[in-house]
Amino acid sequence: MASPQGSRAPLEFGGPLGAAALMLLLPVTMFHLLLVARSGPARLLGPPPYLPGLEELWSPWALLLCLTWLGLQAALYLLPARKVAEGQELKDKSRLRYPINGFQALMLTALLVGLGVSAGLPLSALPEMLLPLAFAATLTAFIFSLLLYLKALVAPASARAPGGNSGNLIYDFFLGRELNPRICSFDFKYFCELRPGLIGWVLINLALLMQEAELRGSPSLAMWLVNGFQLLYVGDALWYEEAVLTTMDIIHDGFGFMLAFGDLAWVPFTYSLQAQFLLYHPQPLGWPLASFICLINAVGYYIFRGANSQKNTFRKNPSDPRVADLETISTATGRRLLVSGWWGMVRHPNYLGDLIMALAWSLPCGVFHLLPYFYLLYFTALLVHREDRDERQCLQKYGLAWHEYCRRVPYRIVPYVY
Ligand SMILES: NC(=O)C1=CN([C@@H]2O[C@H](COP(=O)(O)OP(=O)(O)OC[C@H]3O[C@@H](n4cnc5c(N)ncnc54)[C@H](OP(=O)(O)O)[C@@H]3O)[C@@H](O)[C@H]2O)C=CC1
Ligand SMILES: CC(C)CCC[C@@H](C)[C@H]1CC=C2C3=C(CC[C@@]21C)[C@@]1(C)CC[C@H](O)C[C@@H]1CC3
């Protein structure tokens, strides 16, 4: 089957074999991490302490909880939004509209959870359910991806994603065939990217903190730091929700198993790994070291936010006084590229800030286990691969101007290193 452009898009992620391997490897890794985090030795690279049977993984209550959570987040998504933003121009020159109410969804969820907890909702029981919940989320993501694949069969050719339409069933199922699957104005990819997984992640973190308080009298300083840093990250993503409309996930990638599993299962259950580790392996942390770790997180956040805001402001209005003085190069598309400020330092300063924050999230867990550093390792691989994909797309978009940008700004993520 031909891609929408007529010629087939180059295969990514190692083609069908790579897609099949990732579809197996990602859930296996997630369950491995969940099992190892609660085991005594907490060895990232060793075998899991045991292999759980189906009776430990499958629980209709966990599935019900998972679906209720999705239903709640969908209801919050449908509430009136403070703003409705337009996405990038599509192939047929139209633009989709997206509600900007993610931060409101976070606040309302916090209110509902707060009310629930004060009425006796046993949130601290959640950590005991992580395994069946992760299984239910994986099952949901798999069935959801199947439905999305079937929906794409009846979608018009103009609705297809640039990748994900190779004609290979496994590859297309993994990458996703339709770019913006919707029912009426409900956009599944945009909804999943920011809400159930990210808000679920902070909820799991909070449940782990509450269980630690029950077990040890009060949450540890390390647990507070991990909760605080990651809440800041999620709050930031939802506050600047509109920025997600220019990410490659929304503009370029289809909605298939990769993003459905990534958003619904991978993010909440593996991104909460540090808090899971801390519940079962308490780490002593004094104020001097804690302050130093806070400083690392603040530096990372400063770079991450500064770089993202600078680009977003420039893309919205290049004459905005905050960015008008920055040096730029012109491209044949009429869009310009920043070559000074954050984007003159490296070609992906926002990734650098994100990686520095990832380090700060692991440091409260001490330096004697590799497990809490899994996120940093995975995230480095993800961002290096993502940066490579983005560069290829930019080269296609901007041609010679992109070469000129690479000449002027030779480093990709880390100045003088990479
Ligand atoms: N925690 C997680 O799991 C993940 C976090 N992230 C984070 O999400 C955020 C968004 O990341 P992502 O979507 O990958 O990419 P970016 O926000 O870095 O966007 C890349 C795009 O920016 C534009 N651009 C690149 N260079 C310049 C320049 N010099 N001047 C102006 N515009 C430029 C190009 O698009 P155009 O020219 O068309 O505008 C390019 O395609 C990042 O902060 C990242 O760290 C991302 C993935 C996973
Ligand atoms: C593990 C798989 C191979 C890939 C799964 C990838 C997804 C988990 C990520 C793809 C892009 C993401 C973005 C974010 C979260 C992770 C996923 C969904 C953010 C929402 C995180 C917060 C940032 O401020 C914005 C990010 C946009 C991209």
Side-chain angles (χ1 to χ4, degrees), residues 60-290:
W61 292 112
L63 183 63
L64 186 68
L65 197 58
C66 192
L67 296 178
T68 308
W69 177 251
L70 284 174
L72 169 69
Q73 292 307 321
L76 296 177
Y77 174 93
L78 291 170
L79 287 181
R82 72 180 151 99
K83 181 177 173 190
V84 175
E86 285 201 331
Q88 303 280 101
E89 194 176 270
L90 300 174
K91 262 186 267 142
D92 63 3
K93 305 286 172 209
S94 66
R95 284 175 191 271
L96 295 172
R97 291 162 64 78
Y98 299 87
I100 304 298
N101 60 3
F103 195 77
Q104 172 186 314
L106 176 68
M107 290 295 117
L108 287 173
T109 307
L111 183 71
L112 290 175
V113 170
L115 287 175
V117 169
S118 49
L121 184 83
L123 188 60
S124 55
L126 202 67
E128 294 307 322
M129 289 184 73
L130 286 187
L131 221 47
L133 278 174
F135 189 71
T138 306
L139 205 63
T140 307
F142 189 80
I143 294 170
F144 188 31
S145 316
L146 265 181
L147 295 175
L148 289 168
Y149 187 90
L150 296 177
K151 181 179 178 313
L153 292 178
V154 293
S158 61
R160 290 187 201 143
N165 287 282
S166 67
N168 181 288
L169 193 142
I170 293 183
Y171 182 79
D172 296 347
F173 175 78
F174 179 73
L175 237 68
R177 301 186 63 194
E178 201 177 337
L179 185 60
N180 303 299
R182 285 183 162 213
I183 291 184
C184 300
S185 64
F186 195 98
D187 190 297
F188 293 113
K189 187 168 60 170
Y190 174 68
F191 166 71
C192 289
E193 179 102 352
L194 281 172
R195 288 132 189 266
L198 284 189
I199 303 178
W201 169 21
V202 292
L203 186 68
I204 291 175
N205 273 354
L206 176 67
L208 290 157
L209 180 143
M210 287 179 62
Q211 206 190 11
E212 194 187 41
E214 270 178 24
L215 280 176
R216 306 198 179 97
S218 66
S220 62
L221 184 53
M223 184 67 101
W224 277 118
L225 288 198
V226 167
N227 263 261
F229 294 161
Q230 297 183 350
L231 178 62
L232 170 71
Y233 189 69
V234 170
D236 174 277
L238 294 166
W239 183 262
Y240 294 100
E241 186 179 20
E242 206 175 330
V244 91
L245 298 177
T246 56
T247 59
M248 73 171 75
D249 315 80
I250 300 291
I251 294 174
H252 182 269
D253 293 339
F255 194 28
F257 183 80
M258 178 179 80
L259 283 181
F261 174 79
D263 293 340
L264 302 179
W266 183 259
V267 167
F269 297 101
T270 63
Y271 285 28
S272 58
L273 185 65
Q274 287 99 351
Q276 291 176 43
F277 171 84
L278 285 173
L279 176 65
Y280 301 103
H281 308 85
Q283 300 293 316
L285 181 65
W287 278 104
L289 188 54

Side-chain angles (χ1 to χ4, degrees), residues 318-348:
S319 340
D320 187 303
R322 285 169 293 177
V323 291
D325 290 340
L326 294 174
E327 209 184 326
T328 60
I329 46 178
S330 307
T331 75
T333 64
R335 278 157 89 89
R336 283 184 286 148
L337 290 167
L338 292 165
V339 276
S340 67
W342 289 114
W343 298 81
M345 199 177 290
V346 284
R347 299 203 293 271
H348 268 98

Side-chain angles (χ1 to χ4, degrees), residues 219-229 278 283-299 356-357 359-366:
S220 62
L221 184 53
M223 184 67 101
W224 277 118
L225 288 198
V226 167
N227 263 261
F229 294 161
L278 285 173
Q283 300 293 316
L285 181 65
W287 278 104
L289 188 54
S291 311
F292 181 61
I293 297 173
C294 286
L295 184 68
I296 297 178
N297 195 64
V299 169
I356 295 174
M357 282 192 283
L359 172 68
W361 299 354
S362 303
L363 286 173
C365 303

